[in-house]
Amino acid sequence: MPNLEPDKNAAFYVVLNAGSGHSETELRCSTIRDVLGEAGRTCHLEIVEDAADLADTARRMAQQAKDNDGVLVAAGGDGTINTVAHQAVLQGCVFGVLPQGTFNYFGRTHGIPEDLAEAVRSLLTSTVQPVQVGMLNDRIFLVNASVGLYPTLLEAREHDKQQYGRSRVVAILSALKTALGRHRALRIALETEGHTRKLRTPTLFVGNNRLQMEQVGMEPLKSALEDGELAAIAPRRVGKLGMLGLLLRGALGRLGEAENVIAFSFKRLTVKHARLSPRRTVKVATDGEVTRMKMPLEFRVLEGRLALLKPPHAQADSRDAA
């Protein structure tokens, strides 16, 4: 990656996903503008009211950031960060994050504060570090990508959040309800490094986030991510009690001890339907955003392609861990 360290007076081009309501959005906007204004920095802020407009807004702001040697910034949850980061990768501009989601895996992994004012201040002292991204066909993912039960779980979680409120408790209870319900297993063939493996599984989960792997107890896969690979997890088909056991192990950080889980790391993985499967498209999720893609699916890693602004303490922690 070329040296993309921004000028100390570079302008910030902020894409903010409104999401949570008018009053909260106004508070977030004033916080961002006030902190940057006090530091004498220019801020161009675009509020996205409709999620359908997010990609176009991110594309336009990324072009402006590139043309003016500025910094593109995403303010929102991991899905918003994904969409804006995609444009940062395409345009080759410096990227900053203001985490405002439920879990904030990406921001937490890179030491970015969850408090908005602190996160904005950290932009002023951060330096650029190259970060790897995952690719699923033509879409990037920063945290994870999946096929099968997990995308269904995410859709149910979003529905329950709208009905009961956005909290981690609601998210966890919704996940339990969906995972223990009825669902059809995937029949897929995995091809990597010249080897093919047929598999019947409720879901294939591919991770690109050290914190998430650590939380569920997949330490070897966490190490693989640090070595420039992606992490794949696929539970074997089990009954409801078996699925509940896997969920509990994951919640307790002991999933790596489960016998009914296939786990491996890779740089490139092709996923095909089993020979007799009639489906040509499949539901997939990338950083919490659900869509449909044509088969086959190709997962691959792109090392150091995102020029991320990281706080100094996060860089020191990364060196200590290495």
Side-chain angles (χ1 to χ4, degrees):
M1 177 187 293
N3 181 16
L4 291 175
E5 203 68 45
D7 183 89
K8 63 180 181 179
N9 294 315
F12 292 96
Y13 294 80
V14 183
V15 180
L16 186 147
N17 190 345
S20 300
H22 183 70
S23 60
E24 190 168 350
T25 297
E26 284 191 342
L27 177 60
R28 289 175 176 175
C29 290
S30 62
T31 298
I32 294 169
R33 290 189 174 113
D34 289 348
V35 173
L36 292 178
E38 289 171 3
R41 301 293 289 273
T42 301
C43 172
H44 304 278
L45 194 153
E46 286 282 346
I47 302 170
V48 178
E49 302 281 355
D50 186 342
D53 298 329
L54 181 60
D56 287 340
T57 301
R59 186 179 303 110
R60 175 165 47 81
M61 293 289 276
Q63 185 64 59
Q64 292 180 35
K66 179 183 178 182
D67 292 345
N68 296 287
D69 295 324
V71 177
L72 180 66
V73 178
D78 285 326
T80 298
I81 292 170
N82 172 297
T83 300
V84 183
H86 187 86
Q87 296 303 320
V89 172
L90 290 178
Q91 297 292 343
C93 52
V94 176
F95 182 60
V97 170
L98 303 175
Q100 297 293 292
T102 302
F103 291 99
N104 297 321
Y105 277 118
F106 183 75
R108 288 160 61 202
T109 293
H110 295 288
I112 300 168
E114 293 186 82
D115 177 81
L116 181 56
E118 291 181 14
V120 179
R121 293 188 190 99
S122 77
L123 292 176
L124 301 170
T125 59
S126 295
T127 56
V128 175
Q129 294 291 311
V131 171
Q132 82 173 27
V133 299
M135 289 290 296
L136 171 52
N137 289 1
D138 60 347
R139 294 177 68 96
I140 75 164
F141 59 96
L142 305 177
V143 179
N144 60 58
S146 56
V147 58
L149 175 61
Y150 196 71
T152 302
L153 182 152
L154 292 174
E155 287 184 320
R157 188 179 76 182
E158 186 59 30
H159 176 270
D160 289 341
K161 282 182 177 181
Q162 292 177 3
Q163 188 169 1
Y164 301 110
R166 294 183 175 273
S167 73
R168 295 184 185 182
V169 173
V170 170
I172 292 169
L173 292 177
S174 177
L176 283 170
K177 177 188 68 175
T178 305
L180 297 178
R182 296 184 62 183
H183 45 80
R184 184 166 56 177
L186 290 169
R187 294 176 179 267
I188 52 178
L190 309 179
E191 297 180 359
T192 181
E193 297 181 357
H195 300 286
T196 300
R197 170 191 291 172
K198 290 187 177 179
L199 184 64
R200 192 176 185 188
T201 178
T203 194
L204 173 66
F205 180 94
V206 176
N208 184 39
N209 185 271
R210 298 188 303 276
L211 176 61
Q212 196 169 52
M213 292 299 104
E214 180 180 349
Q215 284 187 343
V216 299
M218 303 297 287
E219 290 297 327
L221 294 185
K222 175 189 172 186
S223 300
L225 293 177
E226 294 169 349
D227 292 334
E229 295 185 307
L230 297 174
I233 301 174
R236 293 185 174 90
R237 193 180 184 192
V238 294
K240 289 186 178 181
L241 285 178
M243 180 61 72
L244 180 59
L246 291 176
L247 291 172
L248 288 175
R249 283 183 180 273
L252 295 172
R254 298 173 59 184
L255 188 62
E257 302 173 8
E259 296 180 355
N260 291 321
V261 173
I262 296 170
F264 59 95
S265 60
F266 65 90
K267 287 186 177 292
R268 186 181 294 266
L269 173 70
T270 301
V271 179
K272 299 180 179 180
H273 278 310
R275 183 178 300 175
L276 299 179
S277 176
R279 291 184 292 171
R280 296 183 180 179
T281 65
V282 66
K283 189 178 293 184
V284 302
T286 50
D287 292 344
E289 300 299 313
V290 180
T291 185
R292 296 194 72 89
M293 286 187 180
K294 291 182 178 180
M295 296 291 280
L297 302 176
E298 183 182 56
F299 294 87
R300 64 189 190 279
V301 65
L302 301 178
E303 295 184 61
R305 290 290 294 273
L306 180 64
L308 178 68
L309 280 178
K310 291 182 66 169
H313 68 84
Q315 298 164 34
D317 291 346
S318 297
R319 288 192 293 271
D320 292 342

